[in-house]
Amino acid sequence: MEVRPGEVEPGEVEPGEVEPGEVEPGAEDGTAPEKDFGSSVELALVATNQLFNARNSPSYVAQVLQGVNAVATKVQRTARPFTGVGHAGLKAKVDAVDLSRPLRDTAAALEELDELYLKDAIYFHDSRYAAHLNCPVVIPALVGEAVLSAVNSSMDTWDQSAGATMIERRLIDWTAGRLGFGNDADGVFTSGGSQSNFQALLIARNHAVAKLRAATPDAGEARLPQLLDRLRVFTSQDSHFSIQKSASMLGLGFDAVIAVPTAADHRMDPAALAAALAEAHDAGLVPMAVVATAGTTDFGAVDPLAELAALARAYDSWLHVDAAYGGGLLVSNRYRHLIDGTHLADSVTVDFHKTYFQPVSSSAVLLRNGAMLRHVTYYADYLNPESAAKAQVPNQVDKSIQTTRRFDALKLWLTLRTMGSEAIGALFDEAIELARRVGELLGEDPDFELAAEPQLSTIVFRYRPVVEGAGVDGAGEHGRRLDETTADRLNPAIRAAVFASGEAVIAGTKVDGHHYLKFTLLNAEASRNDIREIIELLRRTGAGLLSNESTSKDNAA
């Protein structure tokens, strides 16, 4: 680059000037140093070397490759999903960083980051990570992440996104088609399942309020808060907590959500829903929405969608299907039938960053009747004037509760264009098959109890070994199982000890008030032997904790 008279080469600082990251004389004691206009200009000139543009594109490539290599090297050399570091020690290391003193180059910053983050990160790609709904991610999506971050399109208006808008809209149409929605469907990408559920219930609430205003003469002039008291949401007792949070944020209150009992298979009981709807109706309440779950967080249960849809229609209720987890069944080659009935829903949540193996964040809310998105539309003259909508300018902010929004759809687009939907489905199918095989292992193991048969890729179980006796307390011919009180104390301790070891990461939950452990399996490369090793680790840990407890009691006696 040619340097104009009076300028310095990018990255150079004239004698007497302060380099980035250095403290000017007089600043150490908190006093303000004297500055002249020239020093600020030179500092700005140096800073412009970090702006991504045509001039700096070689530097961009070099620095990004340093970051990619740092991650790739760490993944190659990491032999467990976690180091077991404690939060206090890690907080102290991060707090010790002086953010007012830059390190001057990317290599130094990455070296520091290795110590502060990469070394102690939780690695979802490891076969011994089996805790939450975090998937290993596919490489085409990582390519998409790099592209979308650099170009940095904002998905709110057409004049900020152009082709990105069309790609997102095409993917919404594709997903709607998989759900069985017709040509009137529409939707938008969101940050995750909680936001998708919130937007769906916001639309359902506003739709219900509009009906109340139309049907009740004296409701037309009433302010919104006055119309919310009678609205109710019905959902399974095993549904995601975001339903209750959404109700609270929507002004309905947590107690506006009616928890409907489940059957033995943890699917919502249609008879129980029918009774709850009838009771609410008879009490003068308004069944605003029924929320079905297609893949509960703990059990992977898919509610009976067709039966729930019929009940929702009978009470003129909105039917939302939370398929954040089970949405991957839409591309499954073996288990697509498990999610039949989505075409009957008014809205559906799908998380691509769960069972489509995309990086966080990538979710969408889909509506069977896209015109219902009007319930979240607001026009601003400085951004998306109503005149633009009338001219059919495709501003995505008209559909979204977010304004500035990443082009997360690109990751799924490149994944589909590189791998195809059947390949994504095959990855999820393998995880479901693995869960079935592991469920069989645990069901046959006398040291463990299954809470239920696996339905998708989660397994809820607990360590509750046979300890003594024979044929007592439902333990069969092998003897009596560990008592409930001890089991409830032991299983959270097992999980904590295993996490602290860093050898594996598993989850925990409660079933009927009792503590259980949980596997969430989303890694198609994990084998039954990999999970068997975790089971043996859990067994050894549990036996060790029991032995220590017994020794402590003997010593106390």
Side-chain angles (χ1 to χ4, degrees):
M1 182 190 73
E2 181 180 352
V3 180
R4 295 190 296 273
E7 291 185 349
V8 295
E9 290 281 359
E12 293 183 359
V13 179
E14 289 184 340
E17 299 295 345
V18 178
E19 294 188 8
E22 292 189 343
V23 180
E24 293 194 38
E28 296 89 347
D29 60 0
T31 61
E34 292 186 6
K35 292 185 177 181
D36 58 40
F37 182 74
S39 65
S40 298
V41 170
E42 301 305 340
L43 186 60
L45 281 171
V46 173
T48 60
N49 289 329
Q50 297 298 341
L51 291 174
F52 175 54
N53 52 35
R55 176 173 65 85
N56 294 328
S57 58
S59 178
Y60 156 72
V61 172
Q63 292 187 55
V64 169
L65 283 177
Q66 287 182 70
V68 169
N69 286 330
V71 174
T73 299
K74 181 59 65 175
V75 167
Q76 290 168 357
R77 295 177 179 176
T78 297
R80 54 175 59 184
F82 183 47
T83 61
V85 65
H87 53 80
L90 192 53
K91 179 180 185 299
K93 288 198 293 185
V94 174
D95 287 350
V97 173
D98 184 354
L99 291 175
S100 66
R101 297 180 66 88
L103 295 174
R104 295 186 177 83
D105 63 53
T106 299
L110 287 171
E111 183 178 355
E112 178 185 77
L113 188 67
D114 182 81
E115 180 66 22
L116 299 179
Y117 172 56
L118 293 177
K119 185 180 79 173
D120 297 308
I122 311 292
Y123 285 102
F124 303 149
H125 72 276
D126 193 287
S127 60
R128 286 167 295 173
Y129 179 86
H132 303 288
L133 282 164
N134 306 117
C135 57
V137 295
V138 292
I139 293 172
L142 294 178
V143 175
E145 188 76 58
V147 173
L148 72 91
S149 295
V151 180
N152 201 32
S153 298
S154 182
M155 297 302 298
D156 38 339
T157 58
W158 165 254
D159 62 1
Q160 299 178 71
S161 57
T165 291
M166 295 306 161
I167 287 175
E168 177 172 298
R169 288 189 166 203
R170 179 70 181 88
L171 284 172
I172 288 294
D173 291 343
W174 175 82
T175 309
R178 291 271 170 167
L179 290 168
F181 287 169
N183 294 331
D184 293 332
D186 203 349
V188 71
F189 271 65
T190 73
S191 66
S194 292
Q195 186 185 319
S196 292
N197 287 340
F198 175 77
Q199 180 162 343
L201 289 177
L202 172 60
I203 292 169
R205 186 202 71 177
N206 291 353
H207 182 56
V209 167
K211 289 189 295 183
L212 280 176
R213 291 189 189 281
T216 311
D218 59 351
E221 301 301 321
R223 295 187 65 248
L224 178 64
Q226 298 173 266
L227 301 175
L228 301 184
D229 187 54
R230 295 166 55 204
L231 301 185
R232 294 295 182 269
V233 177
F234 300 80
T235 191
S236 155
Q237 63 185 26
D238 287 348
S239 66
H240 195 262
F241 76 97
S242 62
I243 307 306
Q244 281 77 11
K245 287 185 68 174
S246 294
S248 177
M249 290 188 289
L250 291 170
L252 308 177
F254 290 117
D255 57 357
V257 178
I258 308 300
V260 179
T262 60
D265 59 3
H266 293 273
R267 304 167 78 216
M268 192 193 300
D269 182 352
L273 175 62
L277 286 166
E279 182 180 354
H281 179 268
D282 292 345
L285 301 174
V286 177
M288 177 190 107
V290 172
V291 179
T293 308
T296 57
T297 306
D298 277 345
F299 294 99
V302 179
D303 289 337
L305 302 182
E307 294 174 77
L308 303 189
L311 287 167
R313 279 198 303 271
Y315 285 87
D316 195 24
S317 297
W318 185 277
L319 177 64
H320 175 63
V321 175
D322 176 8
Y325 176 15
L329 294 170
L330 296 172
V331 293
S332 169
N333 304 302
R334 306 177 202 168
Y335 302 103
R336 172 64 180 83
H337 62 281
L338 295 178
I339 203 172
D340 286 349
T342 54
H343 67 289
L344 301 170
D346 293 293
S347 57
V348 179
T349 287
V350 176
D351 269 9
F352 302 111
H353 58 228
K354 287 186 172 67
T355 47
Y356 286 71
F357 306 93
Q358 302 294 291
V360 174
S361 59
S362 185
S363 178
V365 59
L366 292 302
L367 286 88
R368 181 160 48 87
N369 179 4
M372 289 295 177
L373 285 165
R374 68 179 182 273
H375 288 299
V376 297
T377 301
Y378 188 91
Y379 297 114
D381 289 337
Y382 52 80
L383 186 69
N384 61 325
E386 189 172 4
S387 59
K390 290 178 179 178
Q392 297 186 328
V393 176
N395 291 326
Q396 290 292 84
V397 74
D398 296 350
K399 307 175 183 182
S400 176
I401 59 176
Q402 291 176 267
T403 305
T404 302
R405 188 164 53 83
R406 284 162 48 91
F407 181 26
D408 287 314
L410 179 61
K411 296 176 287 191
L412 179 61
W413 179 270
L414 284 182
T415 300
L416 290 172
R417 299 308 297 146
T418 303
M419 296 172 55
S421 61
E422 290 184 358
I424 300 171
L427 293 176
F428 191 28
D429 288 348
E430 286 301 308
I432 296 173
E433 282 293 313
L434 177 60
R436 181 187 61 78
R437 295 192 295 270
V438 172
E440 291 172 352
L441 279 178
L442 289 167
E444 296 167 358
D445 194 315
D447 284 343
F448 293 91
E449 271 188 339
L450 275 177
E453 293 295 323
Q455 298 184 55
L456 289 184
S457 65
T458 56
I459 310 162
V460 179
F461 64 102
R462 60 179 170 172
Y463 178 69
R464 196 182 174 206
V466 173
V467 291
E468 61 178 318
V472 182
D473 196 25
E477 60 180 318
H478 299 292
R480 182 174 63 83
R481 286 196 180 275
L482 191 70
D483 65 274
E484 292 274 14
T485 301
T486 304
D488 280 339
R489 185 171 62 250
L490 182 61
N491 279 275
I494 292 172
R495 181 192 176 200
V498 167
F499 183 70
S501 76
E503 294 185 56
V505 183
I506 64 169
T509 190
K510 277 189 174 181
V511 180
D512 297 329
H514 296 295
H515 286 279
Y516 280 75
L517 305 173
K518 185 175 72 170
F519 288 150
T520 302
L521 306 177
L522 284 176
N523 191 337
E525 287 203 333
S527 67
R528 185 165 63 169
N529 284 337
D530 291 326
I531 310 304
R532 194 197 302 269
E533 289 180 5
I534 303 178
I535 294 171
E536 293 306 317
L537 174 62
L538 297 174
R539 193 195 315 276
R540 291 195 305 272
T541 304
L545 290 169
L546 272 179
S547 176
N548 291 341
E549 187 174 286
S550 177
T551 300
S552 297
K553 288 180 179 178
D554 290 343
N555 290 339

